[in-house]
Amino acid sequence: MKKIAAKVSGGVLAAGLIGFLIWDNVYSFKGDGRHFLTGRYYADFYYFNGNERFEFQLETGEKLHLDAHIEKGKAKVSFTRKGEKSGEVISNIEDADTYFTADETGRYVVKINFKHAKGYVEIKCDDQVKDKKIYR
């Protein structure tokens, strides 16, 4: 009898763990929208779990502006030169109003990771950026 109870308990724990992992990692967006406009990415959401990835072609000294407010959950933004493994990262965003500056001419990758987040994020090209196209 104890073996059966142990197997049932183990099965319940495994099912619960699998359910949690699926819930924690499945892509889900609920909100007013995600917009990829010329020179601007904007997302306004009451629930976002997932990742966004897009690129900008920047010349040395050109800037991207990050404006974000996360009320609940977590958000992380990274700004990396394409092909490189490290770059600038802002983790655990609550309120952010900052700039990413290109240190060399090239393609830059913006990655945003949302974990059960509520709020908004905007990344837009500064006025001096010549190529305002978002590459996806």
Side-chain angles (χ1 to χ4, degrees):
M1 189 69 172
K2 288 183 180 182
K3 288 183 182 181
I4 293 172
K7 287 181 182 181
V8 169
S9 295
V12 169
L13 284 172
L17 179 61
I18 290 168
F20 171 77
L21 291 174
I22 290 171
W23 171 80
D24 195 43
N25 292 303
V26 73
Y27 182 92
S28 180
F29 178 87
K30 296 175 185 170
D32 293 333
R34 296 169 34 246
H35 308 281
F36 293 90
L37 307 167
T38 302
R40 181 176 179 242
Y41 165 82
Y42 181 77
D44 187 0
F45 46 90
Y46 56 88
Y47 183 81
F48 199 169
N49 194 55
N51 300 305
E52 295 282 19
R53 182 188 186 281
F54 46 92
E55 300 176 7
F56 289 94
Q57 178 67 36
L58 299 174
E59 295 183 17
T60 303
E62 291 183 334
K63 297 178 182 181
L64 296 178
H65 180 244
L66 167 66
D67 181 21
H69 176 73
I70 304 300
E71 296 174 33
K72 210 166 81 167
K74 293 182 180 180
K76 176 174 83 172
V77 177
S78 68
F79 176 76
T80 310
R81 190 153 180 257
K82 191 168 186 171
E84 294 183 5
K85 293 185 179 186
S86 62
E88 295 182 54
V89 177
I90 300 175
S91 298
N92 299 320
I93 296 170
E94 289 179 2
D95 284 303
D97 184 10
T98 189
Y99 287 89
F100 295 112
T101 304
D103 53 358
E104 294 180 34
T105 297
R107 187 71 65 96
Y108 284 82
V109 178
V110 177
K111 293 181 187 174
I112 311 173
N113 176 267
F114 299 98
K115 277 291 191 187
H116 314 291
K118 175 183 179 182
Y120 72 85
V121 172
E122 178 184 49
I123 296 177
K124 65 180 181 179
C125 295
D126 201 29
D127 291 337
Q128 88 243 5
V129 176
K130 294 176 185 164
D131 181 2
K132 294 187 188 287
K133 181 177 179 185
I134 295 178
Y135 299 88
R136 294 176 60 187

